[in-house]
mmCIF file with all atom_site columns, all heavy atoms in Angstrom:
data_model
loop_
_atom_site.group_PDB
_atom_site.id
_atom_site.type_symbol
_atom_site.label_atom_id
_atom_site.label_alt_id
_atom_site.label_comp_id
_atom_site.label_asym_id
_atom_site.label_entity_id
_atom_site.label_seq_id
_atom_site.pdbx_PDB_ins_code
_atom_site.Cartn_x
_atom_site.Cartn_y
_atom_site.Cartn_z
_atom_site.occupancy
_atom_site.B_iso_or_equiv
_atom_site.pdbx_formal_charge
_atom_site.auth_seq_id
_atom_site.auth_comp_id
_atom_site.auth_asym_id
_atom_site.auth_atom_id
_atom_site.pdbx_PDB_model_num
ATOM 1   N N   . GLN A 1 248 ? -5.201  4.830   -2.125 1.00 98.00 ? 248 GLN A N   1
ATOM 2   C CA  . GLN A 1 248 ? -5.351  3.948   -1.088 1.00 98.00 ? 248 GLN A CA  1
ATOM 3   C C   . GLN A 1 248 ? -4.298  2.800   -1.162 1.00 98.00 ? 248 GLN A C   1
ATOM 4   O O   . GLN A 1 248 ? -3.768  2.460   -2.248 1.00 98.00 ? 248 GLN A O   1
ATOM 5   C CB  . GLN A 1 248 ? -6.789  3.242   -1.105 1.00 98.00 ? 248 GLN A CB  1
ATOM 6   C CG  . GLN A 1 248 ? -7.973  4.136   -1.001 1.00 98.00 ? 248 GLN A CG  1
ATOM 7   C CD  . GLN A 1 248 ? -9.237  3.570   -1.137 1.00 98.00 ? 248 GLN A CD  1
ATOM 8   O OE1 . GLN A 1 248 ? -9.419  2.639   -1.908 1.00 98.00 ? 248 GLN A OE1 1
ATOM 9   N NE2 . GLN A 1 248 ? -10.282 3.968   -0.413 1.00 98.00 ? 248 GLN A NE2 1
ATOM 10  N N   . ILE A 1 249 ? -3.970  2.285   0.064  1.00 98.00 ? 249 ILE A N   1
ATOM 11  C CA  . ILE A 1 249 ? -3.133  1.022   0.108  1.00 98.00 ? 249 ILE A CA  1
ATOM 12  C C   . ILE A 1 249 ? -4.125  0.007   0.389  1.00 98.00 ? 249 ILE A C   1
ATOM 13  O O   . ILE A 1 249 ? -4.961  0.069   1.321  1.00 98.00 ? 249 ILE A O   1
ATOM 14  C CB  . ILE A 1 249 ? -2.131  1.200   1.282  1.00 98.00 ? 249 ILE A CB  1
ATOM 15  C CG1 . ILE A 1 249 ? -1.126  2.255   0.852  1.00 98.00 ? 249 ILE A CG1 1
ATOM 16  C CG2 . ILE A 1 249 ? -1.447  -0.176  1.362  1.00 98.00 ? 249 ILE A CG2 1
ATOM 17  C CD1 . ILE A 1 249 ? -0.074  2.491   1.929  1.00 98.00 ? 249 ILE A CD1 1
ATOM 18  N N   . VAL A 1 250 ? -4.144  -1.152  -0.320 1.00 98.00 ? 250 VAL A N   1
ATOM 19  C CA  . VAL A 1 250 ? -5.049  -2.264  -0.226 1.00 98.00 ? 250 VAL A CA  1
ATOM 20  C C   . VAL A 1 250 ? -4.309  -3.612  0.075  1.00 98.00 ? 250 VAL A C   1
ATOM 21  O O   . VAL A 1 250 ? -3.226  -3.812  -0.701 1.00 98.00 ? 250 VAL A O   1
ATOM 22  C CB  . VAL A 1 250 ? -5.896  -2.415  -1.432 1.00 98.00 ? 250 VAL A CB  1
ATOM 23  C CG1 . VAL A 1 250 ? -6.840  -3.622  -1.276 1.00 98.00 ? 250 VAL A CG1 1
ATOM 24  C CG2 . VAL A 1 250 ? -6.811  -1.176  -1.616 1.00 98.00 ? 250 VAL A CG2 1
ATOM 25  N N   . PHE A 1 251 ? -4.629  -4.332  1.153  1.00 98.00 ? 251 PHE A N   1
ATOM 26  C CA  . PHE A 1 251 ? -3.970  -5.659  1.273  1.00 98.00 ? 251 PHE A CA  1
ATOM 27  C C   . PHE A 1 251 ? -5.134  -6.683  1.350  1.00 98.00 ? 251 PHE A C   1
ATOM 28  O O   . PHE A 1 251 ? -5.937  -6.708  2.290  1.00 98.00 ? 251 PHE A O   1
ATOM 29  C CB  . PHE A 1 251 ? -3.353  -5.594  2.793  1.00 98.00 ? 251 PHE A CB  1
ATOM 30  C CG  . PHE A 1 251 ? -2.495  -6.843  2.924  1.00 98.00 ? 251 PHE A CG  1
ATOM 31  C CD1 . PHE A 1 251 ? -1.146  -6.919  2.549  1.00 98.00 ? 251 PHE A CD1 1
ATOM 32  C CD2 . PHE A 1 251 ? -2.980  -8.005  3.567  1.00 98.00 ? 251 PHE A CD2 1
ATOM 33  C CE1 . PHE A 1 251 ? -0.404  -8.026  2.739  1.00 98.00 ? 251 PHE A CE1 1
ATOM 34  C CE2 . PHE A 1 251 ? -2.275  -9.051  3.695  1.00 98.00 ? 251 PHE A CE2 1
ATOM 35  C CZ  . PHE A 1 251 ? -0.944  -9.133  3.331  1.00 98.00 ? 251 PHE A CZ  1
ATOM 36  N N   . ASP A 1 252 ? -5.267  -7.404  0.271  1.00 97.00 ? 252 ASP A N   1
ATOM 37  C CA  . ASP A 1 252 ? -6.299  -8.315  0.072  1.00 97.00 ? 252 ASP A CA  1
ATOM 38  C C   . ASP A 1 252 ? -5.942  -9.769  -0.267 1.00 97.00 ? 252 ASP A C   1
ATOM 39  O O   . ASP A 1 252 ? -6.681  -10.500 -0.836 1.00 97.00 ? 252 ASP A O   1
ATOM 40  C CB  . ASP A 1 252 ? -7.393  -7.724  -0.867 1.00 97.00 ? 252 ASP A CB  1
ATOM 41  C CG  . ASP A 1 252 ? -6.675  -7.421  -2.242 1.00 97.00 ? 252 ASP A CG  1
ATOM 42  O OD1 . ASP A 1 252 ? -5.433  -7.727  -2.421 1.00 97.00 ? 252 ASP A OD1 1
ATOM 43  O OD2 . ASP A 1 252 ? -7.375  -7.002  -3.151 1.00 97.00 ? 252 ASP A OD2 1
ATOM 44  N N   . GLU A 1 253 ? -4.532  -10.147 -0.042 1.00 97.00 ? 253 GLU A N   1
ATOM 45  C CA  . GLU A 1 253 ? -4.111  -11.516 -0.249 1.00 97.00 ? 253 GLU A CA  1
ATOM 46  C C   . GLU A 1 253 ? -3.963  -12.195 1.041  1.00 97.00 ? 253 GLU A C   1
ATOM 47  O O   . GLU A 1 253 ? -3.253  -11.631 1.956  1.00 97.00 ? 253 GLU A O   1
ATOM 48  C CB  . GLU A 1 253 ? -2.855  -11.371 -1.110 1.00 97.00 ? 253 GLU A CB  1
ATOM 49  C CG  . GLU A 1 253 ? -3.068  -10.798 -2.473 1.00 97.00 ? 253 GLU A CG  1
ATOM 50  C CD  . GLU A 1 253 ? -1.868  -10.803 -3.373 1.00 97.00 ? 253 GLU A CD  1
ATOM 51  O OE1 . GLU A 1 253 ? -0.676  -10.987 -2.895 1.00 97.00 ? 253 GLU A OE1 1
ATOM 52  O OE2 . GLU A 1 253 ? -2.040  -10.659 -4.610 1.00 97.00 ? 253 GLU A OE2 1
ATOM 53  N N   . GLY A 1 254 ? -4.561  -13.334 1.164  1.00 97.00 ? 254 GLY A N   1
ATOM 54  C CA  . GLY A 1 254 ? -4.565  -14.116 2.392  1.00 97.00 ? 254 GLY A CA  1
ATOM 55  C C   . GLY A 1 254 ? -3.459  -15.132 2.606  1.00 97.00 ? 254 GLY A C   1
ATOM 56  O O   . GLY A 1 254 ? -2.441  -15.014 1.940  1.00 97.00 ? 254 GLY A O   1
ATOM 57  N N   . THR A 1 255 ? -3.675  -16.023 3.488  1.00 97.00 ? 255 THR A N   1
ATOM 58  C CA  . THR A 1 255 ? -2.668  -17.020 3.859  1.00 97.00 ? 255 THR A CA  1
ATOM 59  C C   . THR A 1 255 ? -2.491  -18.153 2.910  1.00 97.00 ? 255 THR A C   1
ATOM 60  O O   . THR A 1 255 ? -1.759  -19.129 3.156  1.00 97.00 ? 255 THR A O   1
ATOM 61  C CB  . THR A 1 255 ? -3.041  -17.559 5.178  1.00 97.00 ? 255 THR A CB  1
ATOM 62  O OG1 . THR A 1 255 ? -4.389  -17.934 5.376  1.00 97.00 ? 255 THR A OG1 1
ATOM 63  C CG2 . THR A 1 255 ? -2.819  -16.528 6.340  1.00 97.00 ? 255 THR A CG2 1
ATOM 64  N N   . ASP A 1 256 ? -3.196  -18.065 1.854  1.00 96.00 ? 256 ASP A N   1
ATOM 65  C CA  . ASP A 1 256 ? -3.077  -19.020 0.736  1.00 96.00 ? 256 ASP A CA  1
ATOM 66  C C   . ASP A 1 256 ? -2.227  -18.526 -0.489 1.00 96.00 ? 256 ASP A C   1
ATOM 67  O O   . ASP A 1 256 ? -2.216  -19.148 -1.492 1.00 96.00 ? 256 ASP A O   1
ATOM 68  C CB  . ASP A 1 256 ? -4.452  -19.592 0.228  1.00 96.00 ? 256 ASP A CB  1
ATOM 69  C CG  . ASP A 1 256 ? -5.265  -18.336 -0.243 1.00 96.00 ? 256 ASP A CG  1
ATOM 70  O OD1 . ASP A 1 256 ? -4.916  -17.167 -0.121 1.00 96.00 ? 256 ASP A OD1 1
ATOM 71  O OD2 . ASP A 1 256 ? -6.394  -18.623 -0.790 1.00 96.00 ? 256 ASP A OD2 1
ATOM 72  N N   . THR A 1 257 ? -1.594  -17.437 -0.234 1.00 94.00 ? 257 THR A N   1
ATOM 73  C CA  . THR A 1 257 ? -0.885  -16.696 -1.484 1.00 94.00 ? 257 THR A CA  1
ATOM 74  C C   . THR A 1 257 ? 0.659   -16.816 -1.203 1.00 94.00 ? 257 THR A C   1
ATOM 75  O O   . THR A 1 257 ? 1.123   -16.373 -0.122 1.00 94.00 ? 257 THR A O   1
ATOM 76  C CB  . THR A 1 257 ? -1.386  -15.373 -1.628 1.00 94.00 ? 257 THR A CB  1
ATOM 77  O OG1 . THR A 1 257 ? -2.734  -15.374 -1.787 1.00 94.00 ? 257 THR A OG1 1
ATOM 78  C CG2 . THR A 1 257 ? -0.729  -14.739 -2.853 1.00 94.00 ? 257 THR A CG2 1
ATOM 79  N N   . ASN A 1 258 ? 1.451   -17.333 -2.262 1.00 91.00 ? 258 ASN A N   1
ATOM 80  C CA  . ASN A 1 258 ? 2.841   -17.365 -2.118 1.00 91.00 ? 258 ASN A CA  1
ATOM 81  C C   . ASN A 1 258 ? 3.494   -15.925 -2.401 1.00 91.00 ? 258 ASN A C   1
ATOM 82  O O   . ASN A 1 258 ? 2.791   -15.086 -2.729 1.00 91.00 ? 258 ASN A O   1
ATOM 83  C CB  . ASN A 1 258 ? 3.360   -18.460 -3.101 1.00 91.00 ? 258 ASN A CB  1
ATOM 84  C CG  . ASN A 1 258 ? 3.095   -18.101 -4.653 1.00 91.00 ? 258 ASN A CG  1
ATOM 85  O OD1 . ASN A 1 258 ? 2.646   -16.963 -4.955 1.00 91.00 ? 258 ASN A OD1 1
ATOM 86  N ND2 . ASN A 1 258 ? 3.323   -18.962 -5.502 1.00 91.00 ? 258 ASN A ND2 1
ATOM 87  N N   . PRO A 1 259 ? 4.737   -15.845 -2.090 1.00 90.00 ? 259 PRO A N   1
ATOM 88  C CA  . PRO A 1 259 ? 5.704   -16.907 -1.795 1.00 90.00 ? 259 PRO A CA  1
ATOM 89  C C   . PRO A 1 259 ? 5.792   -17.288 -0.242 1.00 90.00 ? 259 PRO A C   1
ATOM 90  O O   . PRO A 1 259 ? 6.426   -18.144 0.108  1.00 90.00 ? 259 PRO A O   1
ATOM 91  C CB  . PRO A 1 259 ? 7.108   -16.288 -2.220 1.00 90.00 ? 259 PRO A CB  1
ATOM 92  C CG  . PRO A 1 259 ? 6.861   -14.787 -1.998 1.00 90.00 ? 259 PRO A CG  1
ATOM 93  C CD  . PRO A 1 259 ? 5.428   -14.577 -2.342 1.00 90.00 ? 259 PRO A CD  1
ATOM 94  N N   . ASP A 1 260 ? 5.095   -16.465 0.556  1.00 92.00 ? 260 ASP A N   1
ATOM 95  C CA  . ASP A 1 260 ? 5.254   -16.667 2.002  1.00 92.00 ? 260 ASP A CA  1
ATOM 96  C C   . ASP A 1 260 ? 4.167   -17.222 2.648  1.00 92.00 ? 260 ASP A C   1
ATOM 97  O O   . ASP A 1 260 ? 4.217   -17.709 3.846  1.00 92.00 ? 260 ASP A O   1
ATOM 98  C CB  . ASP A 1 260 ? 5.533   -15.235 2.548  1.00 92.00 ? 260 ASP A CB  1
ATOM 99  C CG  . ASP A 1 260 ? 4.405   -14.207 2.045  1.00 92.00 ? 260 ASP A CG  1
ATOM 100 O OD1 . ASP A 1 260 ? 3.292   -14.189 2.623  1.00 92.00 ? 260 ASP A OD1 1
ATOM 101 O OD2 . ASP A 1 260 ? 4.732   -13.552 1.095  1.00 92.00 ? 260 ASP A OD2 1
ATOM 102 N N   . PHE A 1 261 ? 2.912   -17.198 2.112  1.00 94.00 ? 261 PHE A N   1
ATOM 103 C CA  . PHE A 1 261 ? 1.735   -17.775 2.663  1.00 94.00 ? 261 PHE A CA  1
ATOM 104 C C   . PHE A 1 261 ? 1.421   -17.228 4.094  1.00 94.00 ? 261 PHE A C   1
ATOM 105 O O   . PHE A 1 261 ? 1.107   -17.989 4.973  1.00 94.00 ? 261 PHE A O   1
ATOM 106 C CB  . PHE A 1 261 ? 1.843   -19.312 2.715  1.00 94.00 ? 261 PHE A CB  1
ATOM 107 C CG  . PHE A 1 261 ? 1.903   -19.838 1.308  1.00 94.00 ? 261 PHE A CG  1
ATOM 108 C CD1 . PHE A 1 261 ? 3.183   -20.281 0.863  1.00 94.00 ? 261 PHE A CD1 1
ATOM 109 C CD2 . PHE A 1 261 ? 0.905   -20.051 0.536  1.00 94.00 ? 261 PHE A CD2 1
ATOM 110 C CE1 . PHE A 1 261 ? 3.337   -20.877 -0.327 1.00 94.00 ? 261 PHE A CE1 1
ATOM 111 C CE2 . PHE A 1 261 ? 1.069   -20.557 -0.805 1.00 94.00 ? 261 PHE A CE2 1
ATOM 112 C CZ  . PHE A 1 261 ? 2.388   -20.954 -1.205 1.00 94.00 ? 261 PHE A CZ  1
ATOM 113 N N   . PHE A 1 262 ? 1.769   -15.849 4.253  1.00 95.00 ? 262 PHE A N   1
ATOM 114 C CA  . PHE A 1 262 ? 1.762   -15.312 5.601  1.00 95.00 ? 262 PHE A CA  1
ATOM 115 C C   . PHE A 1 262 ? 0.490   -14.428 5.785  1.00 95.00 ? 262 PHE A C   1
ATOM 116 O O   . PHE A 1 262 ? -0.036  -14.376 7.009  1.00 95.00 ? 262 PHE A O   1
ATOM 117 C CB  . PHE A 1 262 ? 2.934   -14.385 5.734  1.00 95.00 ? 262 PHE A CB  1
ATOM 118 C CG  . PHE A 1 262 ? 3.344   -13.750 6.996  1.00 95.00 ? 262 PHE A CG  1
ATOM 119 C CD1 . PHE A 1 262 ? 3.200   -14.593 8.126  1.00 95.00 ? 262 PHE A CD1 1
ATOM 120 C CD2 . PHE A 1 262 ? 3.475   -12.423 7.193  1.00 95.00 ? 262 PHE A CD2 1
ATOM 121 C CE1 . PHE A 1 262 ? 3.357   -14.019 9.422  1.00 95.00 ? 262 PHE A CE1 1
ATOM 122 C CE2 . PHE A 1 262 ? 3.725   -11.937 8.336  1.00 95.00 ? 262 PHE A CE2 1
ATOM 123 C CZ  . PHE A 1 262 ? 3.708   -12.699 9.584  1.00 95.00 ? 262 PHE A CZ  1
ATOM 124 N N   . GLY A 1 263 ? -0.058  -13.802 4.721  1.00 98.00 ? 263 GLY A N   1
ATOM 125 C CA  . GLY A 1 263 ? -1.319  -13.099 4.897  1.00 98.00 ? 263 GLY A CA  1
ATOM 126 C C   . GLY A 1 263 ? -1.153  -11.862 5.714  1.00 98.00 ? 263 GLY A C   1
ATOM 127 O O   . GLY A 1 263 ? -2.197  -11.386 6.346  1.00 98.00 ? 263 GLY A O   1
ATOM 128 N N   . ALA A 1 264 ? 0.054   -11.311 5.788  1.00 98.00 ? 264 ALA A N   1
ATOM 129 C CA  . ALA A 1 264 ? 0.156   -10.030 6.593  1.00 98.00 ? 264 ALA A CA  1
ATOM 130 C C   . ALA A 1 264 ? 1.428   -9.308  6.127  1.00 98.00 ? 264 ALA A C   1
ATOM 131 O O   . ALA A 1 264 ? 2.358   -9.897  5.594  1.00 98.00 ? 264 ALA A O   1
ATOM 132 C CB  . ALA A 1 264 ? 0.356   -10.389 8.198  1.00 98.00 ? 264 ALA A CB  1
ATOM 133 N N   . ALA A 1 265 ? 1.404   -8.001  6.384  1.00 98.00 ? 265 ALA A N   1
ATOM 134 C CA  . ALA A 1 265 ? 2.640   -7.163  6.114  1.00 98.00 ? 265 ALA A CA  1
ATOM 135 C C   . ALA A 1 265 ? 2.591   -6.040  7.090  1.00 98.00 ? 265 ALA A C   1
ATOM 136 O O   . ALA A 1 265 ? 1.673   -5.532  7.540  1.00 98.00 ? 265 ALA A O   1
ATOM 137 C CB  . ALA A 1 265 ? 2.399   -6.558  4.649  1.00 98.00 ? 265 ALA A CB  1
ATOM 138 N N   . ILE A 1 266 ? 3.874   -5.611  7.370  1.00 98.00 ? 266 ILE A N   1
ATOM 139 C CA  . ILE A 1 266 ? 4.074   -4.376  8.204  1.00 98.00 ? 266 ILE A CA  1
ATOM 140 C C   . ILE A 1 266 ? 4.807   -3.407  7.308  1.00 98.00 ? 266 ILE A C   1
ATOM 141 O O   . ILE A 1 266 ? 5.845   -3.664  6.745  1.00 98.00 ? 266 ILE A O   1
ATOM 142 C CB  . ILE A 1 266 ? 4.865   -4.709  9.426  1.00 98.00 ? 266 ILE A CB  1
ATOM 143 C CG1 . ILE A 1 266 ? 4.153   -5.722  10.325 1.00 98.00 ? 266 ILE A CG1 1
ATOM 144 C CG2 . ILE A 1 266 ? 5.141   -3.415  10.184 1.00 98.00 ? 266 ILE A CG2 1
ATOM 145 C CD1 . ILE A 1 266 ? 4.934   -6.195  11.512 1.00 98.00 ? 266 ILE A CD1 1
ATOM 146 N N   . LEU A 1 267 ? 4.142   -2.196  7.212  1.00 98.00 ? 267 LEU A N   1
ATOM 147 C CA  . LEU A 1 267 ? 4.701   -1.120  6.327  1.00 98.00 ? 267 LEU A CA  1
ATOM 148 C C   . LEU A 1 267 ? 5.144   0.023   7.211  1.00 98.00 ? 267 LEU A C   1
ATOM 149 O O   . LEU A 1 267 ? 4.661   0.199   8.437  1.00 98.00 ? 267 LEU A O   1
ATOM 150 C CB  . LEU A 1 267 ? 3.718   -0.657  5.360  1.00 98.00 ? 267 LEU A CB  1
ATOM 151 C CG  . LEU A 1 267 ? 3.149   -1.753  4.360  1.00 98.00 ? 267 LEU A CG  1
ATOM 152 C CD1 . LEU A 1 267 ? 2.139   -1.032  3.395  1.00 98.00 ? 267 LEU A CD1 1
ATOM 153 C CD2 . LEU A 1 267 ? 4.190   -2.519  3.717  1.00 98.00 ? 267 LEU A CD2 1
ATOM 154 N N   . ASP A 1 268 ? 5.916   1.023   6.725  1.00 98.00 ? 268 ASP A N   1
ATOM 155 C CA  . ASP A 1 268 ? 6.262   2.203   7.451  1.00 98.00 ? 268 ASP A CA  1
ATOM 156 C C   . ASP A 1 268 ? 6.637   3.261   6.447  1.00 98.00 ? 268 ASP A C   1
ATOM 157 O O   . ASP A 1 268 ? 6.951   2.915   5.224  1.00 98.00 ? 268 ASP A O   1
ATOM 158 C CB  . ASP A 1 268 ? 7.424   1.940   8.394  1.00 98.00 ? 268 ASP A CB  1
ATOM 159 C CG  . ASP A 1 268 ? 7.564   3.008   9.489  1.00 98.00 ? 268 ASP A CG  1
ATOM 160 O OD1 . ASP A 1 268 ? 6.631   3.937   9.487  1.00 98.00 ? 268 ASP A OD1 1
ATOM 161 O OD2 . ASP A 1 268 ? 8.456   2.897   10.373 1.00 98.00 ? 268 ASP A OD2 1
#
Side-chain angles (χ1 to χ4, degrees):
Q248 293 177 327
I249 295 173
V250 176
F251 190 87
D252 56 2
E253 294 183 342
T255 48
D256 56 354
T257 305
N258 64 7
D260 49 84
F261 302 98
F262 188 49
I266 302 176
L267 307 181
D268 198 3

